[in-house]
Amino acid sequence: MEKFFEGLNDVQRDAVKTIDGPTMVVAGPGSGKTRVLTSRIAYMIFQGIPPHQILALTFTNKAAKEMKERIYKVIGDQAFQVWAGTFHSIFARILRIECEKIGFAKDFTIYDSDDSKNLVAAIIKDMKLDDDVYQANAIRNRISSCKSNLITPKMYAMDEKLKEQDRAAKKPYLVDIYTTYVARCQRSGAMDFDDLLYQMFRLLQQHPETLEKYRARFPYVLVDEFQDTNYLQYAILKKLCLYEGSAQNICVVGDDAQSIYGFRGATIENILDFEKDFNNLKVFKLEQNYRSIDSIVKAANDLISNNTRQIQKEIWTSNDSTEKIKLLSALADTEEARRVVDFILEQKNRNHLPNRDIAILYRTNAQSRIFEEYLRRANIIYKVFGGLSFYQRKEVKDMLAYMRLSVNQNDDEAFRRIVNYPRRGLGQSSLEKIMEFALHNNCSYWDAIKGVDLPNRAKTILLDFAKMILDFKEKSATLDAYELANHIAQKSGVLNELKGDKTIEGIGRIENIVALLDGVKEFVDNDELLTQNNIEDKTLTSYLQSIALVSDLDNLEEDADYVTLMSVHASKGLEFQSVFVVGMEEGLFPSQLSINEKNEIDEERRLFYVAITRAKKYLTLSYAKSRYRFGQMKQCEPSRFLLEIDAKRFESTNAIKTSMAPSTTAAVKSGLSGFYKPISKPQPVNLGIDIADFKASPTSQLAIGQAILHTKFGKGKILKIDGANDNRVATIKFDDLDDPERRIMLRFANLMILN
C-alpha cells in the first residue's frame, strides 16, 4: 500500500486517503496536485472501486493523458478503464451514445470556432443585416455566453432586460440570430463546442432515466482545475453528484489564485462558494511549492495578497537559492526584445540551459513579433503557440470538410466549403439558389440538391458531386479512417489541385495534406493511443471527433529544443527553468480594458501570478518606456503589479536603479519605496559646459557619427539611427556611464551637437 503514498507529504497523503464524501484540494502552483489526483485514483481502485465507475474531468487532453500514464505506472492496464478526459471529450463520447434522444444522429459534426463564426455570418447575410453592426465574432461570443448560462433562445426572447440591452446596442435582432443559429445546427446535425456541454445538460435534464444511468455509472467524480469551470459545467456536476441520497463523492482540485478564464465564462465563485452546496466538505490545502525557488514563491505571495476575495493560504518552498528576480527596463519595445534575447543567450552560455527550458510569456499574442525577429537574428530556435493552428490552415480545413461531409451529408458548413472546390464550374447564382431553397424549405443544402430548380449544366455538376460524396459514404462501411481519408484525398481532386502550385507556399500546402494523412494513419495504427483515449473504433467518424477536441498545446513536443513563446493564458499548467514575462506596463499588463473594474484587475493579477509561478529558477520581468500601439509611438508606465512585489525579491541591477516611478493608480505597499530609490547616490555628470549654454540641436540635423551632449548622460557618440520621421530612435554610446549604450527617441532626446 505504501507505493500509493511514496513521495507525498502529510497533507497530500491525507487528501489521497479521503475518498468518500465531498472533498476540495486547494492546490497552490507547483504543489504536486497532479500527483495527488493520480495517486488518489490509483488508491481508489486498490480499495476495490471499479475503474470504470470513476469519472475524472480535466481541461486539457495533455493533462488527461498524463493522468492515465501515471496511474498506469502504479496499477497497470486498469488505468485505461477510468473515464478520464476533458469535459468536452467525455461529454462528446456520452452524446455519441445518447444523442438520438435529443434529436441528433450519432454521426453529428463538431463545429470549431471558425465553423460557428461562418454560420453566424451566413445567418446575418440571410437576414440582410448590417455586418458592421452585427459582427459575426461578437454575436458568436454572445451566443456562447447564453449557452454557458443555460439561456435558451426561448428564454432569451422572454427576457426583457436582455432585449433592452440589445436595443441599446442597436442589435434588436440578436435573439433571432440566436434562434436561427440553434435551428441550423440541429438541421445540419452539428454541435459547437458549447453544445457539447449544453446538450449534455439538456440530455440529463430532459431524460431522468439517462441521468440515473450516469449517476449509477459514475459514483465517484474528480475535477481538475475546478477554478476554471463555468456555470454550465458546474450545473452538470451538480446533476451528477448533488441529489437526495447521494454520497456526494466528488473531489475538486484547484486554486482560486489561478482563476484566469473569466473572459471565457469561468466562474471563480464555483470554487469560492463550493462549501455552500457541499456542506460536509473536507478541505486540504497544498501549500508547499516544489517547483520554484524562494524569491519567486515569496513574490507570488506578495502579489496575490492584494486580491480581496480569496481562499487564504501561504505558499512556501524549501528550494533555497540566492537567485533573485531580474527586472529589465528598456526605452522602447525593440530594445526590450533585444535585451531579452541577450539575456537568453547569456543563460544558455552561463547556465547551460537548453532552449526548451526557456519561455517568453506575454499578455497578448501580437507581442510575439518583435521577439521572433530578435530570436531569428540570434539563430535561436523558437516556436510560437497560439498562432494559426495546424487544423485551421485552409488546405487542412478543406480536406477535413470532405471527410466531414462524407460521414454527415447534412453538414452545411462542410458543404458550403467544398461544393465548388476544386472548381467544378458551379456559378455563384447557382450556389445562392441552393442556399435560398434550403432557407425557405428548412432543409439542409444537401437535401436542397434534389428540389432546387437549376440549369441543366449546374444540376449535372451537383449530381456528380453528390455521387462522389455518396461513394465516400458507402466506402466508410468497409474502410478504416486512413484508407477512406486517402481515398478521399485522391478522388476529391484536392491533391491534384494543390500539385499544380509549384511555389514554396504551394509545396507547403501539399506537405500539410500529407501530414494530415500521416496523422490519420497514426490514429489507425496506434492501438495504445485508442485505448488511452477510450476510442472504440477506427472509423473516420471517431478520427474526426478526436481531432475536433485537440488544442494547440496538445501538440507541444516536450523533447524538442526550442524557446517557447506564448500568451500567459496558454502557459497555465506548464513550467520552465527560465521565464521572461514581457510587456509589464500599465494598459498592457494589466490590460487597458480591465483597469477600471476591481474584479477584472483581480483577474489580471491572478494572470500575472500564473505567469511568474511558471518559473522554476530564473524569472525576468521586463517593460518598455515606449512602444508602438495602433501605429503610434506611445509612452508607457511600468505595471502596478511590479509595485506589489517586495523590493527584496529583486536583484540589484541597473534596470532597477533607473527611472521607475510608481504609477499614481497603484496601491503602494509598505517597504516598497526603497525599490525606486537609487541604491547608491548617482554621481553628477560633468557636461563640460555651463548648463545655461546648453541648446538642443534640431533633430533633423542629427546624424550617425556625430559627437553629442545630453544633459543627464553627458557626452556621447551616435552609433546608429533607426526609424523615420517622428519615430527615429538613436543608439548612442556615452562616455561616463557604466552601461554606456542607450537608445533614445530623438523627438524627446534634447541632444546638442558638439563641433
Side-chain angles (χ1 to χ4, degrees), residues 314-524:
E314 185 74 17
I315 308 303
W316 62 277
T317 186
S318 59
N319 298 333
D320 290 331
S321 173
T322 57
E323 190 72 32
K324 292 195 174 185
I325 301 168
K326 292 181 175 63
L327 181 68
L328 299 183
S329 167
L331 288 172
D333 50 355
T334 50
E335 184 188 354
E336 179 190 29
R338 177 182 65 79
R339 296 190 66 191
V340 164
V341 172
D342 285 346
F343 261 65
I344 289 174
L345 285 168
E346 181 180 333
Q347 288 185 344
K348 284 166 61 66
N349 293 328
R350 178 180 295 178
N351 304 314
H352 309 292
L353 292 185
N355 292 328
R356 63 177 169 270
D357 280 350
I358 302 169
I360 299 174
L361 308 182
Y362 33 73
R363 179 64 181 81
T364 64
N365 285 318
Q367 290 170 255
S368 73
R369 180 194 61 80
I370 190 68
F371 294 96
E372 289 186 67
E373 288 183 14
Y374 279 90
L375 287 166
R376 280 199 297 269
R377 292 180 193 179
N379 290 319
I380 296 174
I381 300 170
Y382 67 90
K383 185 169 182 179
V384 180
F385 289 86
L388 187 65
S389 161
F390 174 80
Y391 295 104
Q392 296 300 317
R393 293 167 184 166
K394 180 187 180 301
E395 61 276 8
V396 174
K397 287 194 70 104
D398 290 338
M399 195 70 251
L400 290 174
Y402 268 101
M403 297 182 195
R404 282 167 40 180
L405 197 63
S406 299
V407 300
N408 174 16
Q409 284 74 58
N410 290 322
D411 185 342
D412 281 354
E413 287 308 303
F415 182 99
R416 187 205 306 270
R417 189 174 190 97
I418 61 171
V419 67
N420 201 34
Y421 177 78
R423 295 181 86 61
R424 309 175 209 284
L426 201 61
Q428 185 61 33
S429 61
S430 295
L431 291 173
E432 288 175 356
K433 284 182 180 178
I434 296 168
M435 293 168 190
E436 286 173 11
F437 184 92
L439 182 64
H440 293 135
N441 292 276
N442 193 28
C443 66
S444 67
Y445 297 155
W446 178 266
D447 289 337
I449 293 176
K450 304 168 191 171
V452 66
D453 183 22
L454 293 174
N456 289 337
R457 182 172 177 275
K459 195 78 170 179
T460 301
I461 290 170
L462 276 175
L463 292 175
D464 287 344
F465 172 71
K467 183 180 178 182
M468 176 178 65
I469 298 297
L470 289 174
D471 170 66
F472 299 158
K473 175 75 171 177
E474 184 180 341
K475 284 184 167 51
S476 68
T478 56
L479 301 181
D480 66 30
Y482 175 71
E483 292 167 336
L484 182 55
N486 197 42
H487 179 74
I488 292 171
Q490 301 294 337
K491 298 299 182 181
S492 64
V494 171
L495 274 178
N496 285 336
E497 175 82 3
L498 294 175
K499 284 175 182 175
D501 185 350
K502 303 298 183 184
T503 65
I504 293 174
E505 292 79 7
I507 293 168
R509 293 185 189 105
I510 289 273
E511 289 172 347
N512 286 335
I513 295 296
V514 171
L516 177 65
L517 294 175
D518 287 345
V520 184
K521 181 64 172 169
E522 182 184 8
F523 170 84
V524 168

Side-chain angles (χ1 to χ4, degrees), residues 64-212:
K65 180 172 179 284
E66 182 182 356
M67 187 186 299
K68 286 187 178 181
E69 287 174 349
R70 289 196 188 188
I71 301 169
Y72 173 79
K73 288 177 182 176
V74 180
I75 61 169
D77 289 340
Q78 289 186 91
F80 302 126
Q81 296 175 38
V82 175
W83 278 55
T86 65
F87 280 88
H88 291 87
S89 65
I90 292 291
F91 294 165
R93 184 181 174 192
I94 293 172
L95 287 167
R96 289 281 177 210
I97 300 168
E98 311 287 353
C99 60
E100 290 177 346
K101 295 176 182 175
I102 52 174
F104 284 87
K106 291 185 184 295
D107 286 335
F108 67 81
T109 299
I110 299 175
Y111 277 176
D112 66 16
S113 56
D114 276 355
D115 295 321
S116 300
K117 189 170 76 172
N118 291 340
L119 176 55
V120 170
I123 293 168
I124 291 167
K125 183 178 178 182
D126 290 342
M127 293 176 66
K128 297 180 172 55
L129 299 172
D130 185 345
D131 57 11
D132 286 333
V133 176
Y134 292 89
Q135 296 178 338
N137 204 43
I139 303 298
R140 189 217 166 276
N141 290 340
R142 179 78 159 179
I143 291 171
S144 173
S145 178
C146 287
K147 289 182 180 179
S148 296
N149 287 283
L150 290 174
I151 301 171
T152 65
K154 188 177 289 186
M155 292 166 64
Y156 197 127
M158 296 169 62
D159 192 316
E160 287 303 321
K161 186 176 179 181
L162 285 176
K163 291 197 293 182
E164 179 55 39
Q165 289 175 4
D166 292 343
R167 285 191 290 269
K170 299 183 179 177
K171 298 176 185 176
Y173 297 105
L174 206 151
V175 63
D176 302 294
I177 297 172
Y178 182 20
T179 304
T180 305
Y181 177 87
V182 170
R184 292 265 190 103
C185 283
Q186 188 94 30
R187 187 184 82 186
S188 296
M191 296 189 197
D192 62 23
F193 283 171
D194 297 304
D195 280 327
L196 295 176
L197 306 178
Y198 174 74
Q199 298 295 355
M200 180 69 187
F201 180 86
R202 183 178 160 223
L203 173 71
L204 300 179
Q205 176 83 351
Q206 296 179 359
H207 298 273
E209 75 290 351
T210 304
L211 175 59
E212 288 304 319

Side-chain angles (χ1 to χ4, degrees), residues 32-69:
K33 72 177 178 65
T34 305
R35 174 180 284 185
V36 169
L37 205 53
T38 53
S39 297
R40 194 175 194 273
I41 293 171
Y43 181 70
M44 289 164 69
I45 295 170
F46 175 77
Q47 292 291 89
I49 297 169
H52 63 267
Q53 291 190 348
I54 301 171
L55 174 62
L57 297 167
T58 68
F59 274 84
T60 66
N61 295 307
K62 182 174 177 286
K65 180 172 179 284
E66 182 182 356
M67 187 186 299
K68 286 187 178 181
E69 287 174 349

Side-chain angles (χ1 to χ4, degrees), residues 69 82 156 212 215 218 222 229 231 302 315-316 365 422 498 563 590 595 600 687:
E69 287 174 349
V82 175
Y156 197 127
E212 288 304 319
R215 281 175 174 172
F218 302 124
L222 299 94
T229 54
Y231 177 84
D302 293 341
I315 308 303
W316 62 277
N365 285 318
L498 294 175
V563 171
I595 280 176
E600 292 184 10
L687 297 181

